[in-house]
Amino acid sequence: MDVDVLSEWFDKSARDLPWRRDDCTAWGVLVSEIMLQQTPVARVEPIWHEWMARWPKPSSLAAASQGDVVRAWGKLGYPRRALRLHAAAAAIASTHDDVVPSDVDTLLALPGIGAYTARAVAAFAYGKRCPVVDTNVRRVVARSVHGAGDAGPPSTTRDMADVEVLLPPDDASAAKVSAALMELGAVICTARGPRCADCPVFATCAWQLAGRPAYNGPAKPVQRFAGTDRQVRGRLLDVLRDTTGPVTRPQLDLAWHDAPQRDRCLDSLLVDGLIEQTPDGLFTLPGEHPTAEQAR
DNA sequence: GAGACGTGGTC
DNA sequence: TGACCAAGTCT
């Protein structure tokens, strides 16, 4: 893999995403990374702008109620991310002087930040040299380096080692390569219908050289959605996002026909802290009304 | 390590 | 239509 060619291509062709601009703060980068987990850029962009205008610093988000945060998360999906980001913001505000940490291990200690996000923040917000491995990068490496049709099952240790050897010695160049690997996987070396004719590293791609063999590893598990608890939880939460005040149990019951499943999902949302019950038995998004405890 | 966890677009 | 896919994390 010729990473110099890749970097040149990135300079010339990268999408102009707002969290990549010079004036974007580390906080902006962190918010974008959390929102982008399993969620396409097109859906993230408008919400990210709203968040940056409304909560420009970790402490501003930390000062908001959980309910406001969950509502502002909208339909990005996996709303527990919103709660975790809120908690991370509170930790950053209280113990890191409102400054997003630049150290990978410190980032890893924050809720909702795992191996990918910690390194993405270190690299993209602080220009550090550290392997950033997401699904795009794994696919790019599988093809261009290993000559496989697609990446096999993830292995954090092996995947990071694969990327580590590709990174130039200096921080700035390495950070750019990290961004370029992701960009390549997102727009050229895509899962379906890769645009190899437009690929900057076509000439040295091991997959091309091997005659583009089909992926022969284990099939990736397919996630069902229709009829699952995930769908039911989404429906339940949707009722609360769309209303300002507390709702009654019968109102929530309209969201799903299967009572046992509905009850189980409501329970799990209460456990997750995505929904709260008021002292008088109504349901709300969290932190918007006094709980029985706070009412004393 | 497998499975849970939202949502919507594409082919 | 339904399977597959999208910058993962947590248990």
Side-chain angles (χ1 to χ4, degrees):
Chain A
M1 157 86 71
D2 188 334
V3 295
D4 290 330
V5 171
L6 182 65
S7 287
E8 287 168 26
W9 168 81
F10 182 78
D11 282 336
K12 179 166 32 117
S13 324
R15 292 165 294 174
D16 179 23
L17 302 174
W19 42 85
R20 283 182 179 160
R21 302 201 135 181
D22 287 338
D23 62 351
C24 182
T25 62
W27 169 240
V29 172
L30 173 57
V31 171
S32 79
E33 293 299 342
I34 300 290
M35 288 183 171
L36 287 164
Q37 292 169 0
Q38 302 287 282
T39 308
V41 167
R43 272 200 282 154
V44 165
E45 269 207 68
I47 307 290
W48 181 86
H49 278 114
E50 290 175 16
W51 278 50
M52 287 301 101
R54 185 170 180 185
W55 298 306
K57 301 183 299 186
S59 54
S60 15
L61 181 66
S65 75
Q66 291 179 313
D68 281 345
V69 170
V70 169
R71 186 174 283 110
W73 191 256
K75 307 202 76 167
L76 246 27
Y78 294 138
R80 291 185 302 183
R81 288 184 292 169
L83 249 26
R84 292 187 182 130
L85 180 51
H86 183 256
I92 293 168
S94 65
T95 79
H96 299 292
D97 199 25
D98 219 10
V99 177
V100 174
S102 60
D103 174 68
V104 170
D105 288 325
T106 308
L107 285 160
L108 282 171
L110 264 13
I113 298 187
Y116 162 76
T117 304
R119 290 173 177 79
V121 170
F124 305 146
Y126 294 107
K128 286 197 175 184
R129 180 188 187 281
C130 58
V132 180
V133 182
D134 74 334
T135 186
N136 288 309
V137 174
R138 286 176 11 82
R139 186 173 55 250
V140 167
V141 169
R143 288 177 180 160
S144 67
V145 176
H146 300 307
D150 201 353
S155 158
T156 305
T157 308
R158 181 172 46 69
D159 295 339
M160 290 219 294
D162 280 347
V163 173
E164 160 69 31
V165 303
L166 295 177
L167 300 182
D170 70 291
D171 283 309
S173 304
K176 179 172 289 190
V177 168
S178 292
L181 286 169
M182 290 183 60
E183 183 74 356
L184 188 70
V187 306
I188 302 286
C189 195
T190 52
R192 284 182 299 191
R195 300 162 48 195
C196 299
D198 300 322
C199 182
V201 296
F202 175 87
T204 57
C205 177
W207 189 42
Q208 294 298 335
L209 268 17
R212 294 180 60 148
Y215 173 69
N216 63 352
K220 292 163 186 165
V222 268
Q223 284 219 38
R224 287 268 174 291
F225 179 65
T228 63
D229 285 3
R230 279 192 346 279
Q231 181 179 27
V232 179
R233 285 165 55 102
R235 289 277 191 86
L236 256 11
L237 214 48
D238 209 27
V239 172
L240 292 169
R241 270 191 303 253
D242 283 347
T243 184
T244 42
V247 306
T248 63
R249 183 59 175 261
Q251 284 178 281
L252 281 180
D253 287 350
L254 263 23
W256 196 253
H257 55 280
D258 182 332
Q261 185 181 22
R262 197 177 59 219
D263 293 350
R264 172 165 39 113
C265 289
L266 179 55
D267 272 346
S268 74
L269 286 166
L270 289 163
V271 168
D272 286 347
L274 251 6
I275 291 183
E276 269 179 8
Q277 201 160 11
T278 65
D280 46 347
L282 300 178
F283 298 90
T284 70
L285 290 181
E288 304 202 307
H289 298 269
T291 62
E293 196 60 35
Q294 292 160 345
R296 294 209 180 97

